[in-house]
Amino acid sequence: MAQKRNRDWENGAAWSLLATGAKAARMGDDEPKAPKHDDDEGDDGAGGSNATLLEPKTRLKKPSMYRVLLLNDDYTPMEFVVRVLMSIFKKSQSEAEKIMLHVHQHGAGQCGVYTYEVAESKVHRVLDYARKNNHPLQCTMEAE
Ligand code: TYC
């Protein structure tokens, strides 16, 4: 096995990617440590049989997530909003109708949760599509 993934988002632990041979990642061990050598003293580095030159260890941060919201207005047709939800947010017809009605009744509603760039792109696509079709539909994003 070339790599071992340790996914523990729910537990608040670091998201880590370890190369084989690295010392085991321990829960809650978030701070990078200096590479540990088995023989720190007295070795010339030229041929220790089990010397570890590097312990490759890449620690990845859990990405911040953003919810994309649709806002209600009095003019955008319901069918148009459903089409937006299906085409841009990949909702089924029934999910799209449910979200559209929620927005219609409550003033705003969540279309999905994405990383920053994906959320931003979806907001732009909604606004462009609405503007091209002369609808005042508004869409925004906020940190989760
Ligand atoms: N309120 C709109 C209407 O009655 C429908 C609508 C729903 C508009 C959701 C925008 O995000 C929206 N035609």
Side-chain angles (χ1 to χ4, degrees):
M1 184 172 66
Q3 290 177 333
K4 176 179 179 235
R5 269 173 197 266
N6 179 15
R7 249 179 214 273
D8 267 310
W9 296 20
E10 281 82 6
N11 295 330
W15 202 100
S16 60
L17 188 64
L18 305 179
T20 307
K23 298 285 181 282
R26 298 187 213 302
M27 298 277 282
D29 183 15
D30 289 337
E31 291 301 315
K33 300 283 193 301
K36 182 175 183 336
H37 296 264
D38 288 331
D39 47 357
D40 276 349
E41 291 172 9
D43 183 68
D44 62 5
S49 59
N50 62 352
T52 306
L53 298 181
L54 270 181
E55 282 186 1
K57 188 185 276 188
T58 307
R59 288 189 176 276
L60 304 178
K61 280 217 180 99
K62 180 180 162 184
S64 301
M65 301 300 281
Y66 295 81
R67 61 177 68 94
V68 175
L69 303 170
L70 272 184
L71 306 182
N72 189 36
D73 66 71
D74 292 337
Y75 306 101
T76 304
M78 290 183 173
E79 312 79 65
F80 184 83
V81 178
V82 170
R83 205 185 315 149
V84 163
L85 286 161
M86 292 178 71
S87 61
I88 298 179
F89 298 96
K90 308 303 174 198
K91 302 298 182 187
S92 67
Q93 173 100 30
S94 65
E95 284 174 321
E97 287 171 357
K98 211 168 130 186
I99 295 169
M100 180 280 295
L101 282 176
H102 177 95
V103 176
H104 177 69
Q105 289 162 1
H106 297 94
Q110 179 174 306
C111 313
V113 177
Y114 309 95
T115 56
Y116 187 90
E117 287 78 8
V118 174
E120 188 182 42
S121 162
K122 290 193 186 281
V123 169
H124 284 141
R125 287 173 63 194
V126 172
L127 297 177
D128 286 352
Y129 188 41
R131 199 174 306 123
K132 282 190 181 113
N133 287 276
N134 297 311
H135 297 311
L137 181 62
Q138 291 298 301
C139 184
T140 186
M141 62 192 265
E142 64 181 30
E144 210 186 15

